[in-house]
Amino acid sequence: MKKMFCPVVFCCLCFWRLVVFAGTDAVKTVSAMEGDSVTLNSGLTEIKAHDIITWTVGLSKTKIAQIDKDAGISSTYDDVPDGRFRDRLKLDHQTGSLTITNTRNTDSGDYQIIIKRTSNPATYNFKVTVYARLPVPVINRNCSSSSSSSSCSLVCSSVLNVCDATLSWYAGISVLSSISVCDLSISLSLPLEVEYQDKNTYSCVLNNPISNQTTHLDINTLCHTCAGTTALMIYVCVY
Ligand SMILES: *[C@@H]1O[C@H](CO)[C@@H](O)[C@H](O)[C@H]1NC(C)=O
Ligand SMILES: *[C@@H]1O[C@H](CO)[C@@H](O)[C@H](O)[C@H]1NC(C)=O
């Protein structure tokens, strides 16, 4: 009689290992654009009796939300760790999923859900990255560059206060050059030399992993700016 229980016990152990280890290994990556909402899915369709769902943030595992069915608790704790989540946490009382609204760069980081259902607690980790909204890059002629009379020196630039952005020159759909710097409050600038008669379609693109901003180059308009300025200065002096 006792022997018959062995496979059952063994299977239960297997299942327990599966739940625990599948949970701890996988890190789900979630991205959002600054200002948008991001939802961390519990993976549950309903909260059952005796379930305890706990959401934490950071390495300190600060509790930011909890559903404790038996205790009748279903709350967010948005005053911890430092009030940065105030009024921005929404807990789905049906599924236990957590939504962070109006995201900020400081919401980037590690989050964890611990699902305690009877005796099989499962842990799922999330890595949240909030990307800044990108400004539109600006193309100017570089008048201090001593380029040949048939060509025009241009520079595309952008001012950022975040990492993870790349500035590139495209000719059609081919990348000509790129620059990417990770620093605080930086201005990225990338030069391009074109011939006046060039028939390519050039564009300057600022992108991060989830979005981009593009400015198209109009050679006819931009490549006459320097001459225009000089003519104006001469006109003013003569007058
Ligand atoms: C403009 O061209 C000059 C000379 O080539 C260069 O030293 C300067 O860095 C350029 N300016 C920008 C903003 O790239
Ligand atoms: C910019 O984003 C749009 C979608 O928003 C995409 O279709 C396009 O390919 C992107 N361009 C570049 C150069 O990444």
Side-chain angles (χ1 to χ4, degrees):
M1 191 64 187
K2 224 173 188 176
K3 266 195 167 147
M4 281 183 68
F5 279 98
C6 273
V8 176
V9 170
F10 181 73
C11 272
C12 283
L13 278 174
C14 280
F15 182 65
W16 179 79
R17 287 179 71 92
L18 204 70
V19 168
V20 171
F21 292 108
T24 14
D25 279 349
V27 177
K28 203 159 178 225
T29 309
V30 188
S31 303
M33 189 114 86
E34 201 173 33
D36 289 351
S37 293
V38 67
T39 296
L40 307 179
N41 280 313
S42 67
L44 303 174
T45 50
E46 60 166 334
I47 306 295
K48 296 192 170 130
H50 317 310
D51 281 356
I52 302 176
I53 313 294
T54 309
W55 282 102
T56 69
V57 64
L59 295 174
S60 57
K61 307 261 191 290
T62 306
K63 184 166 80 180
I64 51 171
Q66 189 164 59
I67 297 177
D68 184 336
K69 201 72 173 168
D70 288 350
I73 296 169
S74 187
S75 312
T76 57
Y77 306 96
D78 62 4
D79 50 336
V80 287
D82 48 14
R84 80 176 97 131
F85 293 112
R86 191 154 292 136
D87 299 329
R88 297 192 300 120
L89 296 177
K90 289 205 162 39
L91 186 61
D92 186 318
H93 305 295
Q94 241 80 65
T95 64
S97 294
L98 184 70
T99 299
I100 306 167
T101 60
N102 191 16
T103 52
R104 304 167 186 172
N105 191 245
T106 47
D107 297 338
S108 294
D110 301 318
Y111 294 76
Q112 192 175 64
I113 182 174
I114 302 154
I115 301 170
K116 197 163 177 296
R117 179 163 274 186
T118 64
S119 61
N120 304 324
T123 305
Y124 297 93
N125 294 296
F126 296 81
K127 187 162 200 70
V128 172
T129 308
V130 178
Y131 291 98
R133 290 195 177 271
L134 298 174
V136 177
V138 176
I139 303 174
N140 282 306
R141 183 168 186 187
N142 183 356
C143 290
S144 54
S145 176
S146 49
S147 49
S148 75
S149 58
S150 65
S151 69
C152 167
S153 293
L154 298 157
V155 60
C156 180
S157 54
S158 185
V159 178
L160 302 158
N161 55 1
V162 287
C163 298
D164 292 322
T166 302
L167 191 66
S168 312
W169 273 113
Y170 279 76
I173 55 162
S174 325
V175 183
L176 299 174
S177 56
S178 291
I179 185 170
S180 172
V181 182
C182 181
D183 201 349
L184 285 182
S185 256
I186 44 155
S187 110
L188 287 176
S189 66
L190 195 61
L192 177 73
E193 190 94 5
V194 294
E195 297 293 316
Y196 287 113
Q197 305 308 320
D198 204 322
K199 290 286 176 281
N200 277 312
T201 311
Y202 292 98
S203 52
C204 182
V205 178
L206 181 66
N207 78 287
N208 63 22
I210 59 168
S211 64
N212 68 60
Q213 289 283 10
T214 301
T215 300
H216 294 285
L217 169 63
D218 182 348
I219 295 180
N220 292 335
T221 309
L222 267 186
C223 286
H224 293 118
T225 314
C226 291
T229 311
T230 313
L232 181 68
M233 279 167 69
I234 291 168
Y235 172 78
V236 168
C237 285
V238 167
Y239 195 77

